[in-house]
Amino acid sequence: MTGSLWRRALAEALGTGLLVTVVVGSGIAAAELSPGDTGLQLLENAFATALGLAVLILMLGPVSGAHFNPVVSAVDCWFGQRHGGGLAVRDLAAYVPAQVLGAIAGAVLANLMFGEQAVSWSTSDRSAGHLWIGETVATAGLILLIFSLARSGRSAAAPAAVGAYIGAAYWFTSSTSFANPAVTIGRAFSDTFAGIAPGSVPGFVVFQVIGAVVGAVLVLVLYPTAGDAADEVVVPHTESGVTS
């Protein structure tokens, strides 16, 4: 890695890790604060996640673009290769492992903060066709939102818009909108309200990838020159971490 690439990869690891800490930590807190009320637990979890994601994008976006999601990085790389911008393949190869490792570390941190075992494999089975449809919809919508904002010159709205979308998708998708392979893997490390059984992870990841492809196709149909704005995803960023 070059100096700037390791810095961007670190930002992606940190951002994805803190995102999982927010998701898992707020899930544990919700279960403790509202025992027996699943609806209220979900509301508390979704609200904290939406706000936390918006803050993380604002905090780390200028360094790495705040992808925090392997499918966002992969689509950005694909669009960029077609239009001469976005992530290079070398950058993608650094971002994805950083995101996954960060997600795992974030789950461990959340577990420890709430007095749980550092690693407790989730037993929440989420292997069902309707959940996979939910993940496809959630991921496609996320990709369409992010790249349409970039292409229409509204990347400044991304922190609020992406946070709001994920918060809403907790409720309108059957899967509660993981929409992120790295976060999905991380959540398998916590047997809590926000967990997913390791055996359910492959199915979720497969349909997240399918959703990303669907979202990318929709972006190309609606915004044919979306790749021209690949460097604005999720928010504008530069190698120095300071926008111009």
Side-chain angles (χ1 to χ4, degrees):
M1 292 185 190
T2 64
S4 62
L5 181 53
W6 73 256
R7 187 179 297 111
R8 285 182 280 133
L10 176 60
E12 286 295 302
L14 181 61
T16 312
L18 290 175
L19 174 58
V20 174
T21 299
V22 170
V23 172
V24 174
S26 64
I28 296 173
E32 292 179 352
L33 293 170
S34 308
D37 192 336
T38 305
L40 186 54
Q41 291 171 11
L42 184 61
L43 177 61
E44 292 162 347
N45 192 205
F47 183 70
T49 300
L51 293 182
L53 179 55
V55 168
L56 289 170
I57 294 172
L58 286 170
M59 180 168 62
L60 296 169
V63 180
S64 67
H67 294 184
F68 309 153
N69 188 331
V71 294
V72 171
S73 297
V75 172
D76 187 48
C77 180
W78 182 59
F79 281 164
Q81 293 300 305
R82 298 172 71 248
H83 292 266
L87 282 186
V89 174
R90 180 194 64 168
D91 296 357
L92 179 65
Y95 271 39
V96 172
Q99 291 159 348
V100 172
L101 292 174
I104 294 170
V108 170
L109 175 59
N111 288 338
L112 292 175
M113 281 200 300
F114 285 88
E116 306 284 341
Q117 293 182 348
V119 174
S120 56
W121 297 110
S122 177
T123 56
S124 298
D125 180 66
R126 299 179 188 261
S127 300
H130 68 284
L131 301 181
W132 296 336
I133 294 173
E135 278 304 284
T136 304
V137 171
T139 311
L142 179 63
I143 294 297
L144 180 58
L145 170 64
I146 289 171
F147 287 88
S148 64
L149 287 174
R151 183 60 189 89
S152 59
R154 295 175 294 162
S155 291
V162 174
Y165 174 81
I166 292 298
Y170 260 76
W171 289 90
F172 74 75
T173 64
S174 56
S175 63
T176 66
S177 184
F178 287 45
N180 184 327
V183 168
T184 302
I185 293 170
R187 289 169 70 163
F189 284 73
S190 183
D191 190 19
T192 59
F193 177 79
I196 177 172
S200 300
V201 169
F204 263 50
V205 171
V206 167
F207 282 90
Q208 288 160 357
V209 172
I210 292 172
V213 172
V214 172
V217 170
L218 289 173
V219 171
L220 288 177
V221 171
L222 298 172
Y223 298 92
T225 58
D228 294 341
D231 289 325
E232 309 296 309
V233 174
V234 169
V235 295
H237 54 286
T238 66
E239 291 187 355
S240 64
V242 179
T243 54
S244 55

